Amino acid sequence: MKIRPEILDHWPEVRERLPADFDLEATARLRGAFTRVREIKNAETLLRLALAYGGLGMSLHETCAWAEVGGIARLSDPSLLERLCKAAPWLGDIVAALIAEQAKAPAGRFAGYRLRVLDGTSICHPGADRTTWRLHVGYDLATAQVDQLELTDIHGGENLQRLTYAPGDIVLADRYYARPR
């Protein structure tokens, strides 16, 4: 196991990128992600643990060791897993707030048209021998921002009906999207 201490230094940068009007504590309590103070002292710590586990690809054990070494939290693997499972709707709210923030950017480059790229990627559960989930992403080229996300199980195939469009959208998608019913 390799614990990377350098990632401890990047939290202020990550925190700055969150929407200024998004209250981590209030939304975490509202969504049931953070109900009591024990091993995890606040919602910000819960988000740091979620990003370490999900974003850095650490195992539960590595994440718990990383948190303890960094003085962030001291908890067991099952405790962390339980907290992260309860945090899923709240984490989705954070992603939605980030996408909404990005959508505010002006897009004047393409004179009334929005150029978008659509794609899906397969995600495998650790130890799985095939796709467990599929992440479908809409990307706005003018703003250089993700404008839509959807996570499905293995049965959620790539198709053009999966994402939403507006008049004036020009869409670039790979061949897997060209399969009409």
Side-chain angles (χ1 to χ4, degrees):
M1 168 178 24
K2 181 180 178 190
I3 303 301
R4 300 182 343 225
E6 71 274 8
I7 62 176
L8 294 171
D9 300 331
H10 295 289
W11 177 247
E13 297 166 29
V14 172
R15 183 66 177 99
E16 280 180 24
R17 295 195 177 267
L18 294 174
D21 60 343
F22 193 86
D23 185 342
L24 288 175
E25 289 296 323
T27 55
R29 289 189 183 279
L30 181 68
R31 293 293 252 158
F34 189 75
T35 55
R36 60 193 164 104
V37 175
R38 287 186 101 173
E39 305 92 2
I40 299 174
K41 302 300 181 197
N42 54 42
E44 187 172 294
T45 300
L46 180 60
L47 178 58
R48 289 180 78 179
L49 291 167
L51 290 172
Y53 175 66
L56 296 173
M58 290 189 215
S59 69
L60 287 169
H61 189 68
E62 289 171 324
T63 304
C64 291
W66 168 81
E68 189 168 345
V69 166
I72 296 168
R74 185 173 185 200
L75 66 165
S76 66
D77 302 4
S79 178
L80 176 59
L81 181 60
E82 180 182 342
R83 298 298 286 270
L84 292 177
C85 287
K86 288 180 181 177
W90 174 63
L91 295 170
D93 291 346
I94 293 170
V95 170
L98 287 167
I99 290 172
E101 184 93 358
Q102 292 174 356
K104 294 176 187 174
R109 266 189 358 199
F110 299 104
Y113 294 98
R114 182 169 70 149
L115 302 178
R116 296 180 71 200
V117 177
L118 305 180
D119 202 8
T121 188
S122 296
I123 302 170
C124 297
H125 188 274
D129 61 347
R130 65 181 126 230
T131 299
T132 308
W133 304 285
R134 196 166 279 120
L135 181 64
H136 308 274
V137 180
Y139 184 80
D140 186 328
L141 289 172
T143 61
Q145 306 289 328
V146 171
D147 62 5
Q148 196 166 356
L149 287 172
E150 183 177 351
L151 183 65
T152 63
D153 63 11
I154 190 172
H155 304 293
E158 295 180 2
N159 67 59
L160 291 172
Q161 290 78 33
R162 181 152 313 284
L163 303 176
T164 58
Y165 309 96
D169 281 359
I170 298 173
V171 177
L172 171 67
D174 62 29
R175 63 190 167 130
Y176 292 106
Y177 282 91
R179 295 181 180 193
R181 292 182 194 190

